Amino acid sequence: ISYGQSTPDPGLPGPYSVTKEIYDLGDLAFLSSAEFKGSVHYPNGLIGGPFPLIVILHGNHPTSYRIWDSACGFHWPTVSGSKTIDNFDGYNYFAENLASHGFIVISLSCNGTNVMDKMSLRVKLIQEHLDWWQNLNLYGGLPFGSKFVGKIDFSNIGLMGHSRGGEGV
């Protein structure tokens, strides 16, 4: 009797090479008080498909840091002399691995909604991104042109969130 693993290790890279892009519609694009920004990892060239979609929402972390002393804070938009912390980029390792297995993975920035600290806004942010990506899948649009038209399988969506992001999911 063999008790060895009979399926491939999902922690190892899959057969697809991966492309990553960041999209950013502005710091005040969502409800005029929060950003509409994220990253997308996908199989290079999007050959084949449509591909399942995975949406990731990060938790409640500081949103900015001061340039002169690296002190972190919760401000949205960031205050003068501060830079935004791209918390959504913390899932790059995970998103890249999933994309190498044939998924389109978007990691949403929710710094602004975290500062407002309303779970309902996190939920709405996820829905707004899903609606936007569905339009990209159907018609294309800025900033991606027609790259994702017909490439996303909206009957196969996964959601993942960490901490407050998990509440939103």
Side-chain angles (χ1 to χ4, degrees):
I1 297 176
S2 172
Y3 294 103
Q5 183 173 344
S6 61
T7 57
D9 182 348
L12 296 175
Y16 294 96
S17 59
V18 175
T19 300
K20 175 197 174 189
E21 295 187 59
I22 293 177
Y23 58 95
D24 186 351
L25 302 183
D27 284 348
L28 302 175
F30 176 66
L31 298 176
S32 299
S33 57
E35 77 277 30
F36 197 93
K37 180 178 183 179
S39 66
V40 57
H41 288 77
Y42 55 91
N44 197 18
L46 293 167
I47 298 167
F51 298 96
L53 179 68
I54 297 177
V55 179
I56 302 172
L57 191 64
H58 66 79
N60 193 19
H61 305 284
T63 58
S64 61
Y65 65 95
R66 294 188 310 222
I67 300 164
W68 60 89
D69 66 1
S70 299
C72 295
F74 285 87
H75 306 283
W76 198 261
T78 57
V79 295
S80 178
S82 295
K83 290 202 174 209
T84 300
I85 298 172
D86 288 330
N87 289 305
F88 67 92
D89 261 347
Y91 293 110
N92 281 339
Y93 71 99
F94 185 58
E96 184 172 338
N97 189 22
L98 287 169
S100 79
H101 287 280
F103 294 90
I104 295 174
V105 184
I106 57 175
S107 180
L108 313 183
S109 181
C110 62
N111 286 345
T113 56
N114 279 343
V115 169
M116 291 180 269
D117 200 28
K118 294 181 181 174
M119 183 178 44
S120 62
L121 292 179
R122 291 181 191 91
V123 173
K124 186 161 177 53
L125 183 69
I126 293 168
Q127 187 60 57
E128 290 290 324
H129 277 267
L130 285 171
D131 291 345
W132 187 71
W133 277 96
Q134 187 167 34
N135 279 326
L136 288 175
N137 185 57
L138 293 172
Y139 312 112
L142 294 174
F144 300 113
S146 61
K147 181 183 302 183
F148 289 100
V149 173
K151 296 300 180 177
I152 304 172
D153 178 0
F154 272 88
S155 69
N156 197 357
I157 299 174
L159 302 172
M160 185 203 100
H162 166 255
S163 189
R164 295 264 172 99
E167 288 177 352
V169 166

